Amino acid sequence: MGDKMNVDTTMFRRAVWSYIHCMYGIRHDDYNYAEVNQMLERTLKAYIKTVTCYPERLTKNEYDLVMKEFKHSEKVELDFIRYFIALHAN
């Protein structure tokens, strides 16, 4: 992630996955949702909600301000995860 190599992003990706599922009304009994608040800061959750629920409202400035330490490719991966979940949830 960013400049760091060999980072295990499993918990982060699971938190993103679970947070987006919540937006679609899907909850998993076996997941500890406190992990979402531990792994995703408020600005990132706002970004994910905008991209998930109102993608047409997303601005370049919002994209640039969130996850500043992430590479562009990592931000795109997050958007792919969100897109896959949207397809899966519908």
Side-chain angles (χ1 to χ4, degrees):
M1 296 178 82
D3 295 335
K4 298 179 179 152
M5 302 299 283
N6 299 321
V7 175
D8 183 4
T9 61
T10 303
M11 287 180 65
F12 175 77
R13 287 183 284 119
R14 186 174 48 229
V16 169
W17 182 274
S18 299
Y19 183 61
I20 295 171
H21 267 170
C22 280
M23 284 183 243
Y24 286 102
I26 301 168
R27 299 209 30 115
H28 302 278
D29 293 340
D30 62 341
Y31 181 71
N32 178 6
Y33 284 89
E35 190 174 283
V36 170
N37 291 329
Q38 293 170 352
M39 298 301 299
L40 308 178
E41 62 184 31
R42 188 177 300 238
T43 56
L44 179 55
K45 288 186 347 186
Y47 170 81
I48 291 170
K49 185 171 185 173
T50 300
V51 170
T52 302
C53 300
Y54 315 104
E56 71 281 359
R57 295 182 188 173
L58 185 68
T59 66
K60 172 111 170 65
N61 187 48
E62 288 173 311
Y63 176 83
D64 291 339
L65 289 176
V66 74
M67 302 184 313
K68 291 180 183 179
E69 64 280 0
F70 284 51
K71 295 176 184 174
H72 173 71
S73 60
E74 292 167 334
K75 289 183 180 186
V76 170
E77 180 181 357
L78 177 67
D79 290 334
F80 276 125
I81 292 170
R82 190 237 14 116
Y83 178 72
F84 179 75
I85 294 168
L87 289 176
H88 181 261
N90 289 324

